[in-house]
Amino acid sequence: MANIQSLDPTASPLDYYGWELRRQREAHGLRQGQLGDIIFCTGSLIGQIETTKKVPTRDFSERVDAALGTDGLFSRLIGLVLRSQLPTWFQPYAEMEAKAAYISTYQAQLVYGLLQTEEYARAVLATGMPDDLEGLLAGRMERQRILERERPPLAWVVLDEAVLHRPIGGHEVMRRQLARLLEFAGHRWVHVQVLPNEAGAHASLAGSFTAMRFDEDPDIIYTEDVISGHMTANPETMREAALRYARLQAAALSVEDSAELIIRVMEERYGDCSQPEEHPVA
């Protein structure tokens, strides 16, 4: 295990978190095992987090704050830590996403990240065989906290019907993922439409894209290729994307009819949970 004293607290949010946890624990005269007993975890876990071998969770951070009386320090730090676990090329997008007032996205392959269940997200991320699957997963789940705000962004999601039929993670995982989508059927801030297969050729055969509007910053369009993401605020690109999205929404089922299709797929394709599970290999 690395010596905590060798950590540079300015190197990354995770390094700072580990350095500060060690500093606060020692200031309270506690050994790792003693702090672990107080917050119901092992001393080994404390040591792994202090040396950046493990990424802390939000629950862990809240328990540390309560145990050490740190006035929400670690609860505030954890957001920075988890966002830092996202791929470097994706972090600028995540920062803009967190500030967006309005998000409109078309997804041709997968459920939109903010609407993914943890199981589904794990299966998706595992396909890239990452070195730190748990860190990436924690970062993706942290992004979803913007939907829990008192005033979250208005999010309009168009999913290609193929997304519903692609068995990511196996039948049980997909059934729970589709049930998650149905939770937004009457949501005030999140609306889900399905672009049915019968729509045939449509305005975004080239692939998925996301548009974001802000209260103060220029509008942005985000797209991804195999290994990176691209953002632009070019006005002509924004106009073209807005036109394409309007055509997608016109071709998509209504929110109500989309929910009915999701229910039908969930029952007909994933209703028999006795079928063997498909386990992705990390």
Side-chain angles (χ1 to χ4, degrees):
M1 299 232 318
N3 187 332
I4 191 69
Q5 301 301 330
S6 68
L7 289 181
D8 177 3
T10 67
S12 72
L14 184 60
D15 284 82
Y16 178 72
Y17 189 107
W19 181 87
E20 186 65 26
L21 178 60
R22 172 81 179 251
R23 190 182 74 83
Q24 291 285 347
R25 175 179 61 76
E26 291 182 340
H28 285 75
L30 297 172
R31 295 190 298 274
Q32 291 174 347
Q34 290 175 313
L35 177 58
D37 289 341
I38 295 171
I39 65 173
F40 306 105
C41 71
T42 65
S44 175
L45 177 61
I46 301 292
Q48 289 175 314
I49 291 175
E50 289 183 351
T51 54
T52 71
K53 302 301 183 186
K54 282 275 190 179
V55 177
T57 64
R58 183 165 292 277
D59 177 66
F60 176 90
S61 303
E62 292 171 351
R63 283 186 282 138
V64 168
D65 278 331
L68 300 182
T70 42
D71 193 29
L73 170 64
F74 292 99
S75 297
R76 292 190 296 272
L77 281 177
I78 191 60
L80 293 174
V81 170
L82 295 180
R83 281 196 295 275
S84 74
Q85 299 306 298
L86 297 169
T88 303
W89 58 264
F90 188 78
Q91 290 178 23
Y93 169 81
E95 292 173 6
M96 299 306 292
E97 180 184 64
K99 299 193 299 182
Y102 176 74
I103 300 171
S104 54
T105 185
Y106 167 65
Q107 296 295 318
Q109 299 288 338
L110 301 168
V111 172
Y112 180 45
L114 295 186
L115 308 187
Q116 292 179 5
T117 65
E118 185 170 340
E119 297 169 301
Y120 183 96
R122 181 187 296 276
V124 169
L125 293 169
T127 62
M129 295 181 288
D131 293 330
D132 184 12
L133 175 59
E134 295 305 314
L136 286 175
L137 181 62
R140 178 159 298 187
M141 294 298 100
E142 180 68 13
R143 284 173 55 207
Q144 298 183 0
R145 287 178 59 82
I146 67 173
L147 299 181
E148 300 172 9
R149 295 174 183 165
E150 183 176 346
R151 188 176 178 84
L154 176 63
W156 209 287
V157 181
V158 175
L159 298 177
D160 196 284
E161 185 180 346
V163 172
L164 309 182
H165 293 278
R166 184 169 292 107
I168 304 293
H171 281 67
E172 290 187 15
V173 170
M174 283 302 299
R175 184 174 177 84
R176 286 190 285 271
Q177 176 61 76
L178 297 191
R180 171 63 172 160
L181 293 179
L182 291 173
E183 293 176 10
F184 295 101
H187 201 280
R188 180 181 179 184
W189 298 99
V190 180
H191 307 284
V192 178
Q193 287 181 268
V194 176
L195 182 67
N197 291 333
E198 298 83 69
H202 58 77
S204 194
L205 288 174
S208 307
F209 67 95
T210 298
M212 295 182 287
R213 296 178 183 173
F214 306 87
D215 291 330
E216 299 179 358
D217 296 310
D219 296 352
I220 285 176
I221 289 292
Y222 174 80
T223 58
E224 287 184 4
D225 58 26
V226 176
I227 59 174
S228 63
H230 310 275
M231 287 192 292
T232 179
N234 181 282
E236 291 185 7
T237 304
M238 291 300 307
R239 284 193 292 270
E240 176 66 20
L243 179 59
R244 288 175 182 266
Y245 200 75
R247 290 174 175 170
L248 286 170
Q249 285 189 298
L253 301 175
S254 68
V255 171
E256 294 76 16
D257 289 345
S258 295
E260 291 183 7
L261 176 58
I262 292 171
I263 291 172
R264 187 161 65 250
V265 173
M266 186 168 69
E267 293 177 347
E268 294 177 358
R269 185 167 175 80
Y270 306 113
D272 183 3
C273 290
S274 65
Q275 297 190 46
E277 279 290 276
E278 301 172 16
H279 297 290
V281 178

